[in-house]
Amino acid sequence: MTNPIVSVRGIQRTFGSGTTAVHALRDISFDIEPGTMVALVGRSGSGKTTLLNVIGGLDRADGGTVVVDGDDITALDEDGLSQLRRDKVSYVFQTFGLIPVLSAAENVGAPLRLARTPAAEREKRSPTSRPASSTRRPAAR
Ligand SMILES: Nc1ncnc2c1ncn2[C@@H]1O[C@H](COP(=O)(O)OP(=O)(O)O)[C@@H](O)[C@H]1O
Ligand SMILES: [Mg+2]
């Protein structure tokens, strides 16, 4: 049996406190197997975004564990979470979070730059139809 790519156990996330506290996630547990496609469905306010933020290392759960590709991400410090976001988790947001001064292909390749991937390899994985050595955009017209 293969190990789950994502394994969530008993996670909790509460916003605020006292009588106005919102329990966005209450004791959530599930596994996602590698190579599978999963849809998270629920009405507005049911906690979908909160859950995705916790799995992707953008937010921290108040309790429980989240294992992504074998690493317990609830134990990671800020640097560790940055690495997780750089190397293992991607989001396509409802509104595009593109870097406006870069072309579409350069936006796709931006994480490879952060990971210090060599130019030739970057060009192979995210072709910009420019020589790998040329990274400057043409002047705006
Ligand atoms: N940063 C926040 N501060 C306070 N409450 C929040 C915050 N983020 C989400 N919530 C609340 O948590 C609940 C779940 O929200 P969310 O995860 O955005 O749901 P969904 O994505 O399913 O619409 C909602 O009641 C929302 O108002
Ligand atoms: Mg949402």
Side-chain angles (χ1 to χ4, degrees):
M1 220 187 89
T2 53
N3 291 322
I5 192 73
V6 173
S7 187
V8 169
R9 288 292 173 276
I11 55 170
Q12 316 266 352
R13 181 72 172 99
T14 301
F15 297 105
S17 59
T19 51
T20 57
V22 174
H23 301 286
L25 303 176
R26 228 188 306 218
D27 196 18
I28 306 293
S29 302
F30 60 90
D31 288 334
I32 299 176
E33 300 305 320
T36 56
M37 196 185 302
V38 174
L40 177 60
V41 182
R43 62 182 163 71
S44 180
S46 60
K48 304 180 296 292
T49 296
T50 305
L51 179 59
L52 290 177
N53 286 346
V54 167
I55 295 173
L58 293 171
D59 188 19
R60 284 181 188 281
D62 303 314
T65 57
V66 179
V67 175
V68 176
D69 198 18
D71 293 326
D72 179 1
I73 71 164
T74 45
L76 295 177
D77 60 10
E78 284 306 316
D79 284 353
L81 289 176
S82 288
Q83 254 177 52
L84 172 84
R85 294 190 297 258
R86 188 190 71 188
D87 297 338
K88 298 204 169 161
V89 181
S90 296
Y91 291 95
V92 178
F93 289 102
Q94 277 170 314
T95 48
F96 299 122
L98 299 174
I99 303 167
V101 296
L102 300 183
S103 69
E106 286 165 344
N107 267 279
V108 173
L112 298 175
R113 284 176 171 277
L114 295 176
R116 298 202 163 86
T117 306
E121 171 69 13
R122 282 205 314 267
E123 185 62 23
K124 204 159 78 187
R125 292 170 62 181
S126 174
T128 55
S129 62
R130 274 197 290 283
S133 57
S134 162
T135 55
R136 198 169 302 157
R137 274 175 63 75
R141 272 166 292 177

